Amino acid sequence: MDSSSTRMSLYLCNPHKYLCCPSRAASFRIFIHHHRLFSSAKTHLASAQTPITPVPRTVTMPVSTATTTLSAIEQSKRLAAYTAVDKHILPEHKVIGIGSGSTVPYVVERIVAQGRELNKDRVFIPTGFQSKELIVMSNLNLGDIDQFPTIDVTIDGADEVDLDLNCIKGGGACQLREKVLAEAANTFIVVADYRKNAECLGTNFTPGVPIEVTPFAYGQVLRKLQNVLGSPNATLRMAKAKAGPVVTDNSNFVIDAPFPRETMMNPSTILAKIKMLTGVVEVGLFCDMTQAAYFGNEDGSVTVKRKVGSRVVEESILPS
């Protein structure tokens, strides 16, 4: 049998004579077929190794407040966020949880203002898509709770905070991940505007307690809330920009369950009852978890409520 190099030499010297032999002609056709396949593969490999220029994503981010005029509400949110970051995000803190909500962009804005030198060795853990995008677009180091199970400080927003620093959270449907980061933190801080500062949960935030449920079980959970646990107006949260219900980052549904004032005066009791319902993933009641809450006020002051032992102490920081 001719070798590959011999066949090619004979063919190039006298192709007609070489191909007159039937066995050689058949063998050569196979050789040429394989040679073409090999050449095509080399060309494809070379093109695959050509560097590809990445196309940047277009992400809508909050406009910097340095050059914009803010409403009174937005000013109070920024005031609370800035004050909390200044008090609690210290140089020694290297793993920081970033929560969700309308106040959180101001938290990230203030952290960025601390400078690249401080932030270059820090890792920031998000509670959801919004905070992840804030971290990435601010050129901060993005981390994951699996990599950093212990967090120095988590700062998050709240829908309402009572006299004992119990919170309703989940208006943005992130309560599961928010609670994971809150529990993982050595210090959990809440920031909000003055409207969220209440004597009892459910006073100003009237939609109810956000409850994340598996889609398969939502109907059963809804009936239990309405007929057994005392929330007859509990409803499945519907989306505003899509047909159907809101879907969380964890592919679950959200039920909003309003309860009467007497029930919300002791939120840890109703929290335990809701958690016992099969199909409930997490409840947007954060009880005995918050170390301090910062509320920005219309007059430029900040109301601070913080835990001191078993008591909650309130103070005001006046505008400078």
Side-chain angles (χ1 to χ4, degrees):
M1 180 70 69
D2 298 327
S3 66
S4 297
S5 59
T6 302
R7 275 177 287 181
M8 181 59 75
S9 299
L10 290 172
Y11 173 76
L12 293 175
C13 292
N14 194 338
H16 179 74
K17 180 179 178 181
Y18 181 81
L19 294 176
C20 284
C21 176
S23 61
R24 283 181 173 175
S27 176
F28 187 74
R29 281 193 296 270
I30 295 173
F31 166 74
I32 289 297
H33 175 68
H34 289 168
H35 179 73
R36 286 172 177 168
L37 289 177
F38 177 71
S39 298
S40 176
K42 286 200 301 182
T43 302
H44 179 73
L45 181 61
S47 64
Q49 292 173 339
T50 303
I52 299 174
T53 302
V55 179
R57 292 176 298 163
T58 301
V59 181
T60 302
M61 299 299 294
V63 177
S64 173
T65 59
T67 58
T68 58
T69 301
L70 299 177
S71 67
I73 294 296
E74 291 302 311
Q75 288 181 26
S76 65
K77 291 178 182 180
R78 182 178 66 177
L79 188 62
Y82 277 24
T83 305
V85 169
D86 292 347
K87 295 285 186 181
H88 295 281
I89 305 298
L90 305 178
E92 62 265 27
H93 296 144
K94 301 301 181 184
V95 183
I96 300 166
I98 301 296
S100 309
S102 59
T103 309
V104 170
Y106 301 117
V107 171
V108 175
E109 185 176 89
R110 192 60 167 178
I111 290 172
V112 171
Q114 291 185 346
R116 185 179 299 275
E117 189 64 27
L118 270 181
N119 288 318
K120 68 179 183 179
D121 296 324
R122 287 171 168 169
V123 176
F124 297 86
I125 317 296
T127 58
F129 180 84
Q130 177 211 20
S131 48
K132 183 186 76 172
E133 293 300 301
L134 283 169
I135 292 167
V136 171
M137 299 304 291
S138 299
N139 293 316
L140 300 173
N141 300 318
L142 179 66
D144 188 85
I145 190 66
D146 292 336
Q147 299 170 295
F148 303 92
T150 300
I151 299 173
D152 293 319
V153 183
T154 292
I155 296 189
D156 204 346
D159 296 303
E160 197 162 43
V161 185
D162 71 7
L163 294 176
D164 297 318
L165 296 186
N166 300 310
C167 305
I168 290 180
K169 291 178 53 58
C174 297
Q175 62 265 32
L176 171 60
R177 298 189 184 195
E178 288 173 339
K179 190 170 283 190
V180 170
L181 264 63
E183 291 181 343
N186 295 326
T187 304
F188 178 54
I189 305 299
V190 164
V191 293
D193 63 78
Y194 58 90
R195 300 171 302 169
K196 313 300 177 65
N197 187 6
E199 179 182 345
C200 175
L201 296 181
T203 301
N204 300 321
F205 186 74
T206 57
V209 177
I211 304 166
E212 186 166 349
V213 298
T214 60
F216 175 76
Y218 93 88
Q220 185 70 8
V221 172
L222 193 59
R223 285 187 288 273
K224 291 286 187 181
L225 289 166
Q226 293 169 340
N227 302 324
V228 178
L229 294 188
S231 181
N233 296 320
T235 57
L236 180 67
R237 187 185 300 181
M238 304 304 290
K240 294 182 179 180
K242 67 174 281 289
V246 166
V247 179
T248 71
D249 287 352
N250 313 300
S251 301
N252 294 316
F253 291 169
V254 176
I255 291 173
D256 292 308
F259 290 92
R261 182 181 177 86
E262 55 269 23
T263 299
M264 298 306 294
M265 290 296 291
N266 188 8
S268 58
T269 299
I270 191 63
L271 166 63
K273 291 180 180 180
I274 298 172
K275 285 280 284 186
M276 289 299 294
L277 297 178
T278 302
V280 169
V281 178
E282 192 48 76
V283 183
L285 288 172
F286 287 53
C287 300
D288 301 318
M289 300 178 69
T290 308
Q291 276 77 50
Y294 288 74
F295 304 96
N297 300 314
E298 289 179 292
D299 61 1
S301 66
V302 176
T303 299
V304 183
K305 294 182 177 181
R306 54 189 176 87
K307 282 279 182 70
V308 178
S310 59
R311 300 183 301 115
V312 175
V313 176
E314 180 176 325
E315 62 177 320
S316 291
I317 301 176
L318 300 178
S320 56

